[in-house]
Amino acid sequence: MKQPFSPTIEPLESRIAPAIIIANPIFDIKGGAGQTSADIDLAKLVDPSASYRTIVEFVTNFTKSGATSPSVIRLELFDDKTPLTVQNFLSYVNNTDLNNDYDGTYFHRLVSGFVLQGGGYNPPISINNFGAHVETPITVHNEFFADDPTLDPVVGTIAMAKVGTSAGGGPHSATSEFFINYADNSGILDDQNGGFTVFGRVIQGMDAVNEMANLRKVAINNLGGTGGSEGIPTTASGVPTSDQLIKIVDARVIAPTAGNPAGHTFSVEVLDNATGLQSSALVTQSIDASNNLKLTYKAGATGVAKVKVSVSKPGEDTVVDEFTVTVLPNLIAEVENNIGSLVVPGQKGIVNVNLTNNGAGIAKGDIKVRLFLSEITSGNSDIASGFTLEETGADKDIEITSDVAKKISIVGGKSFSLPVKYEISPDVAKTLKLDGNYRLLAKIESPDGSSIQELFTDDNVGNIRDTHQFKNAFGDLEPGRSGVKITLPENSTAETSDALTLILKGPGLGEATRNPDGSLNISISGTTSASSFSIKTASGAIADISQLHITNAIGALKLANVHLISHFSASGGVKSIILGDLGALVPTDSSNFDIGGASGAKTTLKFGTVRDFTFDSTVPVKSLTAKAWLNVNTAEREALTFNGLGKLSIGGNFEASLTERSTSGVALISVAGDISGGTFNTQAAVKKLVGGNVTDATFNLGDSAQLSALSKSKGTIAFKNVIDSSVDASYPITSLTALAWENTQNSPVEALKFQGLGMLKIAGDLGADVTERSGLTVTGIAVAGAIRNSVIQSKGDIASLAAGTLDGVNVFAGVAAKPTQLSDLANARNIGSILVKTAFVNSNVVGSELGKVAVAGVNGDSGLAKVGFYADAIKSYIRAGGPKLSNLLTPAPNGEAYDTQGANYEVRVY
């Protein structure tokens, strides 16, 4: 604030003339948007009872307790301290347009012990809708001054409300809304959003404002409820009507009282502020008979003038008061933050700098906008708070502008969008710190460097949210450009010294960081199904990737020369993946491979050797191939989970579990190596299941609750040697083949369960129970070796049964036990042919009709129950070295067996 003029008193020979007292020095004048002149009552200079500050009166619809008429709130505005804010506020007070003034607006926000806010909305209101907002043609330049204690937001002061940075606002976003402070809020407001401009104080009616603080508050989303500590103040007990809101009925400027000249004479001289010479290029002046000074700004002229007002009175020495008149553009720059949260090498683009002129002068001529990335080194940043931001120093402010000067012409109150090109060139990238946080600053420069020089930011002062982080990144970093790549420098701690080139083609953005061991963490976002990602290495080297995360859908990943150590996720889905090995060579825990995506998406996967990786895909997998899937860390069994599996092909061993959750059929599960441990659970049928040697595995194929649907499916199973493993298929298996199916644990016996069985063919021994539950005919059971300690049970017919040896075996067709009478065979089914080549030991064969029976040596342990063949008819029976019988249709005479051998063996017809 300009100090009052203190004239020099010259000594006289015979007396000292009294000096004229300047009671109210004239404020410096800053012309705001749309202003063409200024009027000054010169007599107020010498009138102690007068003031140059503006008084505004709000007539409300609120009547305080004990009063008989509505309350009036009077405000004294700080014309001298915050001229642009005052002029902006008065534009709403004086406007006669009902859509652009304060008349009829209501106080829409009351926060207990904090603020009463208004100036924004006209009723009517509704749930989640404050009503129609006052039209706001321009924003006002923030005039927060931290060093002026008279502008602290203390009790009774009025300040401008702004839009928060999270909602796209910033320090210069104030328009029409204001608030009255109920407390000293400087500790809260001075550090937010560049500080809040206090532009006046309540000089009458604060008692009414305080009484408003105790009104009921309703929440905007519940007009009939309570707003708690914050809401819309109302006199209603329920849902408020328009008249029950606290409204400004009339907002007006109180006509100032003219100063008393008391015989003073005034003269005015206008000088150029820079040169001190007479000036009429900027301001012309005239004084009327009432001592009113009118200063008229020349159209199109800009600059600063000094005005001298000389005050004289007979018998007193003349004194002079000086003030400045600034008629300049006052640009507010709002930088559209379209660089993105990441800044990367090679990045190019255009930043829109939106310029608003809320000064009286025209912003005209060549203008240059320089863009800087300014490093943030602490939580509050190195950028000074206040409405004029400061550069942090040449070592921390890196210019990224590649544009030349532009011509503009912006009159007061108008805006202009200036596109500014920027580039993160190699030289710029070298000066940025990897993982460093930066703000984007825009510096506006006029041609002569005198009138428009200010620094602006796209982010909230003192808040590092929404800053820009420098990364090694790659991808589609500029609209219309595709395939940006980066080459990471060699890392001294990495196992290989070869550089890696990361290439993301199509839309998307990726970033890569190195871990201390030299491996990479890679994240990719913004991709589409048209995008692809690949890594190139020199001389066929292998790139170690610790983690790879893809947020959006992507088309293809081609990373055959990659070793993925820990985690992979493609939450948006991926069409195809080619990867190298997965898993650490010496893993300590399991790692994850997760694929998501929209329904209907499908993916194709190809891996190298996988170690200790779990796999989960929520989208169908057309095919997954891998060299091997190993469980090195035996403490935990890894799992593969599918939501639709077409083909799984493993070139080597498979040491994991598998779950298929969809009802779509699986075309192929093929393991060229061994299957060791694990459980295979599928909801749908597996058309072809092929494996090498199988140990300790469980195959649950098809959902038993879907038997009707699964009955139309068919599948085949082929293994090499199988040990201690079981199969339960809820759909027909046309053939199951194995070299051998052994049970080394004796108890419990492993089980082979079928809902329809065609041919079971074992080249060696069979040591498992076989159950066919559907009632369909079993085409054949052929075991070249021995069947031992097993139960073979079919609900339907068995066309043929052939084995080298039956040892401790029960073969039941349609029954569950050996019969003792004809009625026990009521549900029995036929067995077409039975061939036992070597030995029949302690076994039973039971059916309704046995076709051709050919058996070699037979034996039953003495003292045990009798064993043999039981039916209600046997067409043909041949025992090597024994009887040859045919058409055994009735029981043998005298209840004897048709054939006996040894102590316990018999052939009996009921």
Side-chain angles (χ1 to χ4, degrees), residues 571-734:
S571 55
V574 57
K575 281 187 175 181
S576 66
I577 300 177
I578 299 176
L579 278 176
D581 293 345
L582 279 69
L585 295 177
V586 186
T588 57
D589 58 9
S590 73
S591 300
N592 303 320
F593 197 103
D594 300 319
I595 299 177
S599 60
K602 293 184 179 180
T603 185
T604 302
L605 311 169
K606 185 177 181 180
F607 301 144
T609 299
V610 183
R611 297 176 178 85
D612 294 277
F613 250 88
T614 62
F615 175 91
D616 191 344
S617 176
T618 60
V619 298
V621 175
K622 292 174 63 176
S623 70
L624 188 158
T625 62
K627 291 183 178 179
W629 207 293
L630 307 179
N631 178 27
V632 180
N633 180 22
T634 56
E636 183 175 356
R637 172 73 55 179
E638 275 62 53
L640 281 71
T641 305
F642 300 90
N643 200 41
L645 172 63
K647 297 180 180 180
L648 174 69
S649 300
I650 307 297
N653 293 343
F654 185 81
E655 300 171 354
S657 294
L658 183 150
T659 300
E660 206 292 297
R661 297 172 292 201
S662 84
T663 56
S664 300
V666 180
L668 173 68
I669 296 178
S670 174
V671 179
D674 296 339
I675 299 175
S676 177
T679 301
F680 290 67
N681 294 317
T682 70
Q683 292 289 306
V686 180
K687 188 173 183 180
K688 186 175 183 181
L689 172 59
V690 181
N693 298 321
V694 180
T695 305
D696 294 318
T698 301
F699 298 88
N700 298 315
L701 309 177
D703 183 1
S704 59
Q706 304 292 328
L707 295 181
S708 177
L710 289 172
S711 64
K712 301 176 183 179
S713 302
K714 293 181 180 180
T716 63
I717 301 174
F719 296 137
K720 294 182 179 179
N721 294 308
V722 182
I723 299 174
D724 298 325
S725 299
S726 63
V727 172
D728 188 339
S730 295
Y731 58 92
I733 299 297
T734 57

Side-chain angles (χ1 to χ4, degrees), residues 305-341:
K306 179 187 293 183
V307 179
K308 287 185 176 183
V309 179
S310 299
V311 187
S312 60
K313 186 178 182 181
E316 298 184 18
D317 284 345
T318 299
V319 295
V320 176
D321 183 44
E322 294 182 356
F323 61 94
T324 60
V325 178
T326 301
V327 185
L328 289 174
N330 192 78
L331 290 181
I332 297 174
E334 293 180 345
V335 183
E336 288 187 13
N337 186 355
N338 50 5
I339 283 183
S341 59

Side-chain angles (χ1 to χ4, degrees), residues 29 272-273 281-283 300-305 325-329 361-362 451:
I29 295 173
D272 181 82
N273 190 49
L282 181 67
V283 177
T302 60
V304 180
V325 178
T326 301
V327 185
L328 289 174
I362 299 177
S451 59

Side-chain angles (χ1 to χ4, degrees), residues 110-112 217 226-231:
L110 171 60
V111 185
S112 299
K217 296 181 286 292
T226 176
S229 62
E230 178 174 351

Side-chain angles (χ1 to χ4, degrees), residues 316-436:
E316 298 184 18
D317 284 345
T318 299
V319 295
V320 176
D321 183 44
E322 294 182 356
F323 61 94
T324 60
V325 178
T326 301
V327 185
L328 289 174
N330 192 78
L331 290 181
I332 297 174
E334 293 180 345
V335 183
E336 288 187 13
N337 186 355
N338 50 5
I339 283 183
S341 59
L342 295 182
V343 179
V344 299
Q347 182 173 335
K348 294 180 180 179
I350 295 176
V351 168
N352 289 321
V353 179
N354 299 318
L355 303 175
T356 299
N357 180 13
N358 64 2
I362 299 177
K364 186 176 182 179
D366 289 335
I367 187 172
K368 185 174 183 180
V369 179
R370 299 172 63 196
L371 300 177
F372 297 87
L373 288 177
S374 182
E375 183 187 358
I376 299 172
T377 58
S378 68
N380 290 325
S381 85
D382 285 336
I383 301 173
S385 63
F387 75 91
T388 301
L389 302 175
E390 297 177 1
E391 296 170 82
T392 59
D395 58 330
K396 295 177 182 177
D397 294 324
I398 297 106
E399 185 171 359
I400 61 173
T401 314
S402 62
D403 244 357
V404 297
K406 298 286 184 68
K407 287 187 179 296
I408 64 168
S409 180
I410 312 173
V411 299
K414 298 297 182 180
S415 299
F416 180 80
S417 182
L418 187 66
V420 181
K421 294 180 181 179
Y422 74 91
E423 179 180 5
I424 309 301
S425 65
D427 290 339
V428 168
K430 289 178 183 178
T431 62
L432 297 173
K433 294 181 180 178
L434 188 62
D435 295 328

Side-chain angles (χ1 to χ4, degrees), residues 669-856:
I669 296 178
S670 174
V671 179
D674 296 339
I675 299 175
S676 177
T679 301
F680 290 67
N681 294 317
T682 70
Q683 292 289 306
V686 180
K687 188 173 183 180
K688 186 175 183 181
L689 172 59
V690 181
N693 298 321
V694 180
T695 305
D696 294 318
T698 301
F699 298 88
N700 298 315
L701 309 177
D703 183 1
S704 59
Q706 304 292 328
L707 295 181
S708 177
L710 289 172
S711 64
K712 301 176 183 179
S713 302
K714 293 181 180 180
T716 63
I717 301 174
F719 296 137
K720 294 182 179 179
N721 294 308
V722 182
I723 299 174
D724 298 325
S725 299
S726 63
V727 172
D728 188 339
S730 295
Y731 58 92
I733 299 297
T734 57
S735 72
L736 186 154
T737 62
L739 296 181
W741 205 295
E742 300 179 30
N743 174 29
T744 64
Q745 301 174 356
N746 295 322
S747 179
V749 176
E750 307 304 332
L752 306 180
K753 298 179 180 180
F754 305 94
Q755 196 70 23
L757 173 63
M759 173 62 72
L760 173 64
K761 188 174 183 180
I762 307 296
D765 294 344
L766 172 65
D769 291 342
V770 179
T771 303
E772 201 295 303
R773 299 165 296 197
S774 71
L776 299 174
T777 298
V778 177
T779 303
I781 298 174
V783 180
I787 303 177
R788 290 189 173 90
N789 302 319
S790 302
V791 176
I792 298 177
Q793 187 172 15
S794 172
K795 193 174 182 180
D797 296 342
I798 300 175
S800 67
L801 170 66
T805 297
L806 292 183
D807 185 356
V809 177
N810 289 317
V811 180
F812 296 144
V815 297
K818 188 175 71 174
T820 59
Q821 55 190 353
L822 180 61
S823 61
D824 293 340
L825 296 174
N827 297 316
R829 301 299 294 270
N830 302 327
I831 301 178
S833 66
I834 304 167
L835 173 62
V836 181
K837 292 183 179 180
T838 303
F840 183 95
V841 182
N842 294 329
S843 298
N844 293 290
V845 178
V846 181
S848 175
E849 178 183 279
L850 305 184
K852 181 179 180 181
V853 179
V855 60

